[in-house]
Amino acid sequence: MVDIYFDDVIKVEQLDPDGKKFDKVSRIEARSEEFGVDMQLDVNTEIYPIRVGEKFRMALAPTLSLDGSAVTNFNSKGAAKSLADKFEYVMHGLLYKMSEDESGPNIKVIIYMSFGGLQLMLKGDPLHMGKFKLDQKLFLLMRKM
């Protein structure tokens, strides 16, 4: 069985809060409904358009194999069923930085990932961020609700 590190419904609160930087990419600011995790994510909006107020399910997992085994390659033609079949937008990336934010009343863990230049930042309670480790390779999976 797949060990999913993060799985929640995300609501888009802002689109390109610092202005549009690239033609085909937008940075979304969002918040997860169940865990209260804040997020910034760069999305290729040419192939996966997103609007403010939309909700989507987002998951982070170390593999796409339903049995939890490592994925060495991915071929969509004739491939066995995978976690990707349940989602519309999939990226593979590296967790390159972790830090703590002690500025508020509660400590928050911040993780940073890069998906070939597209960035993800998650900021949340350490209880929900415990499976993440530096230099992990993870799949980000998204599906609109």
Side-chain angles (χ1 to χ4, degrees):
M1 183 165 182
V2 179
D3 187 19
I4 297 178
Y5 289 13
F6 179 86
D7 188 2
D8 204 348
V9 174
I10 305 294
K11 183 176 182 182
V12 178
E13 295 177 343
Q14 290 187 42
L15 198 61
D16 296 313
D18 298 325
K20 187 92 168 143
K21 307 271 191 235
F22 301 101
D23 290 339
K24 299 175 184 179
V25 175
S26 285
R27 176 161 290 170
I28 64 170
E29 285 192 357
R31 184 165 177 85
S32 73
E33 292 189 340
E34 185 176 342
F35 301 130
V37 172
D38 293 315
M39 177 178 93
Q40 287 185 344
L41 175 65
D42 296 339
V43 177
N44 182 334
T45 50
E46 181 179 52
I47 61 173
Y48 197 69
I50 291 182
R51 290 188 280 286
V52 172
E54 282 187 317
K55 291 183 180 182
F56 57 92
R57 180 176 172 210
M58 188 185 93
L60 289 166
T63 182
L64 295 176
S65 295
L66 294 176
D67 64 3
S69 62
V71 173
T72 55
N73 61 19
F74 184 73
N75 180 2
S76 60
K77 294 181 182 180
K81 295 281 184 192
S82 80
L83 193 58
D85 296 333
K86 300 175 183 180
F87 292 88
E88 302 164 335
Y89 185 76
V90 179
M91 297 191 292
H92 186 249
L94 177 71
L95 194 159
Y96 66 88
K97 181 179 175 184
M98 294 181 74
S99 63
E100 290 183 352
D101 179 4
E102 300 175 4
S103 63
N106 300 318
I107 294 175
K108 302 284 185 181
V109 171
I110 306 171
I111 67 159
Y112 299 90
M113 292 189 67
S114 178
F115 302 90
L118 300 179
Q119 302 292 308
L120 166 68
M121 184 276 302
L122 286 179
K123 179 179 177 180
D125 188 290
L127 181 67
H128 306 299
M129 309 294 255
K131 292 184 178 183
F132 296 109
K133 304 284 184 250
L134 197 58
D135 294 328
Q136 278 180 321
K137 291 183 179 178
L138 297 168
F139 290 93
L140 179 142
L141 305 108
M142 292 174 40
R143 177 183 72 221
K144 291 184 182 176
M145 302 295 285

